[in-house]
Amino acid sequence: MKNGRTKRAVVAGGAGFLGSHLCEALLAEGIQVWCVDNFQTGLRRSVQRMEQNPDFTFVEGDVIETNFISKLPRSIDLVFNLACAASPVQYQADPEHTLMTSVVGTRNLLRLAEQRDARFLLTSTSEVYGDPEVHPQTESYRGNVSCTGPRACYDEGKRAAESLTLDFERAHRAEVRIARLFNTYGPRMRSDDGRVVSNIITQALEGSDITIYGDGTQTRSFCYVDDMIDGLMRLMRYDGEQPGPINIGNPAELTVLALVEHVLKLTGSRSPVVHLPLPQDDPRRRRPDISRATQLLGWAPRKALVEGLQATVEWFSKSEAASEPRRAADDARHLAG
Ligand code: UDP
C-alpha cells in the first residue's frame, strides 16, 4: 500500500517474455499493473491470460509514441522499462525502431516517472560490454562495443538509455535503477525468437538441424527467468543510495557446444548438428560478475542450468508453445547467412 491505496506499476514491454513474468510477479505481490506493449515481440496470449485479474490493465501502444500515457492512471509508484526487442534476429530486423525504442522510449518513460513521482527501472543489457576484453564483466568495465556494426542499434541504444536514465537522477527528475541483464531463458520464450536456447530446444524437439554459429566455443552464462525476475524486483525495491547499473545474471558460463550437448541429452533428440557462419561482432565470451547484486540486494541465482533447461524443454513440448509459429531454423539461417 502507498498513501492508503494499492501500489501501482507500469510495465512497458509487459507482453514480452520477461515482461509477462514480471507482471505476474507484481500481481502476486498485490501490486496493480498497467502493461504497455506494441506486440512487436510480445504475445497477445500472455495479455489475455492476465486480463482475468482485476488488478491488471492492458494498454496497447508503442513507447516511441506518447499516446499510451493518457491511458495510464494519474498516480503511479513504479515504472519498469522492458520495452525493446532483445534477440539479435528481432532487434536487427528494424534497427531504426530498435534504437529509437531505447532512446525515445526510455525518455518517454522517464518523463512519465518524473510526472508521476514514480521510481523508474531500466532493463539494460550485458551488450553494453560488447565483445568484452575484461572477464568476467564488472559494472565498472566500460565495454568494447562497435558503434557501427549490426548489433549497434541495440548496444548503443541501451548505452544511451543508461546515460539518459542517470541524467534524470542527477537532475533530481526521477529516482532510477538500472539492471544489466545477461542471457535469460525459460518458459514462454518464443520458438521463433532466434536466440540460442529457444532455437536449439525447438530444433531438438522437431528433429531438425541444430544450428551452431561458428565453432561453438563462444561462451554465454544463462540465467533462469524466475531468478532474473527476483533480481529485478529486488533492485526496484532497493532503498539505498543510487547504486549505479547492477549486473543481473547467472555466472555459470558454458560454451554453445556444451549447451547443445545438454539439450540433446534432455530431449533425447538425434538432430544433426550443423555449423553456420558466426554473425558479425558476436561476443566471444560473457560472464557476469554479480558481487554487487549479491552485496546490495542479497541476490544470487538459484536455478541450476540443467533444472532450468528441463523446465524449458517441458514447456516447449506442451501444446501451448507448439501453437506458436516455428521459424527458428529459418531465422537462424537468415542471421548467420
Ligand atoms: N547461436 C547459435 N545458434 C543459434 C542461435 C545463436 O550458435 O541458433 C549463438 C550466437 O551466435 C551466440 C550465442 O549462441 O554466440 C548466443 O546467442 P543469442 O542470440 O541467444 O544471444 P546473444 O548473442 O545476444 O548473447
Side-chain angles (χ1 to χ4, degrees):
M1 300 284 279
K2 184 177 167 183
N3 306 330
R5 63 157 175 76
T6 307
K7 256 193 173 182
R8 293 173 175 172
V10 168
V11 180
F17 164 50
L18 290 182
S20 66
H21 283 274
L22 178 64
C23 288
E24 287 186 357
L26 292 164
L27 291 168
E29 289 206 354
I31 297 172
Q32 290 183 320
V33 172
W34 276 259
C35 162
V36 180
D37 207 290
N38 63 354
F39 295 121
Q40 187 196 344
T41 56
L43 296 174
R44 286 183 192 275
R45 197 180 58 215
S46 300
V47 170
Q48 281 155 4
R49 189 180 41 244
M50 292 187 283
E51 269 174 341
Q52 318 289 328
N53 189 321
D55 283 339
F56 179 85
T57 307
F58 178 66
V59 176
E60 185 161 354
D62 190 317
V63 294
I64 291 179
E65 315 292 337
T66 48
N67 38 10
F68 71 93
I69 291 174
S70 62
K71 295 172 193 146
L72 298 172
R74 278 181 184 278
S75 90
I76 298 167
D77 308 297
L78 310 169
V79 175
F80 289 89
N81 182 10
L82 284 78
C84 192
S87 158
V89 175
Q90 308 280 1
Y91 70 63
Q92 289 170 25
D94 187 348
E96 178 187 358
H97 186 261
T98 299
L99 190 70
M100 292 305 131
T101 299
S102 283
V103 178
V104 179
T106 299
R107 193 262 312 257
N108 288 339
L109 291 161
L110 278 163
R111 287 183 170 181
L112 172 72
E114 177 184 23
Q115 286 157 9
R116 309 294 211 271
D117 197 19
R119 188 179 282 181
F120 173 89
L121 184 144
L122 171 71
T123 54
S124 182
T125 170
S126 56
E127 285 280 324
V128 300
Y129 303 121
D131 189 6
E133 291 154 322
V134 167
H135 195 75
Q137 291 78 57
T138 52
E139 289 89 349
S140 58
Y141 175 48
R142 292 185 181 181
N144 177 35
V145 173
S146 159
C147 63
T148 52
R151 297 175 90 98
C153 58
Y154 186 69
D155 303 8
E156 296 293 0
K158 290 288 189 179
R159 285 168 73 95
E162 285 198 13
S163 73
L164 193 59
T165 299
L166 287 171
D167 283 335
F168 265 68
E169 173 121 347
R170 274 188 285 269
H172 307 289
R173 296 177 65 182
E175 194 187 4
V176 304
R177 304 282 178 259
I178 299 175
R180 288 183 178 156
L181 281 59
F182 284 64
N183 297 63
T184 306
Y185 71 100
R188 279 190 230 155
M189 288 185 98
R190 294 177 65 131
S191 57
D192 63 344
D193 174 80
R195 274 180 282 199
V196 69
V197 173
S198 44
N199 273 7
I200 289 175
I201 292 179
T202 304
Q203 292 158 349
L205 292 174
E206 285 179 347
S208 54
D209 291 356
I210 304 273
T211 55
I212 294 184
Y213 301 164
D215 62 8
T217 58
Q218 69 271 36
T219 69
R220 293 293 187 272
S221 306
F222 296 97
C223 185
Y224 190 66
V225 60
D226 293 355
D227 286 327
M228 177 56 68
I229 299 302
D230 179 36
L232 296 180
M233 301 269 281
R234 283 173 191 247
L235 180 57
M236 184 56 119
R237 277 196 297 261
Y238 177 71
D239 279 327
E241 291 286 295
Q242 170 52 237
I246 303 286
N247 289 339
I248 310 275
N250 190 324
E253 180 185 1
L254 79 168
T255 62
V256 168
L257 282 170
L259 177 74
V260 167
E261 274 174 34
H262 281 303
V263 170
L264 288 176
K265 204 166 160 194
L266 283 168
T267 53
S269 172
R270 296 216 196 142
S271 286
V273 169
V274 299
H275 288 264
L276 298 177
L278 192 68
Q280 187 186 333
D281 295 335
D282 198 279
R284 288 297 309 157
R285 55 190 189 159
R286 180 181 289 159
R287 169 153 62 105
D289 180 320
I290 58 163
S291 320
R292 284 186 52 75
T294 303
Q295 208 180 355
L296 294 178
L297 313 176
W299 179 85
R302 289 184 298 195
K303 191 83 135 187
L305 181 72
V306 173
E307 267 175 60
L309 285 177
Q310 178 73 53
T312 311
V313 165
E314 274 165 28
W315 185 82
F316 270 99
S317 316
K318 282 193 308 201
S319 56
E320 193 182 16
S323 66
E324 283 303 308
R326 295 244 168 151
R327 299 199 311 266
D330 293 348
D331 283 342
R333 288 177 198 286
H334 165 75
L335 181 71

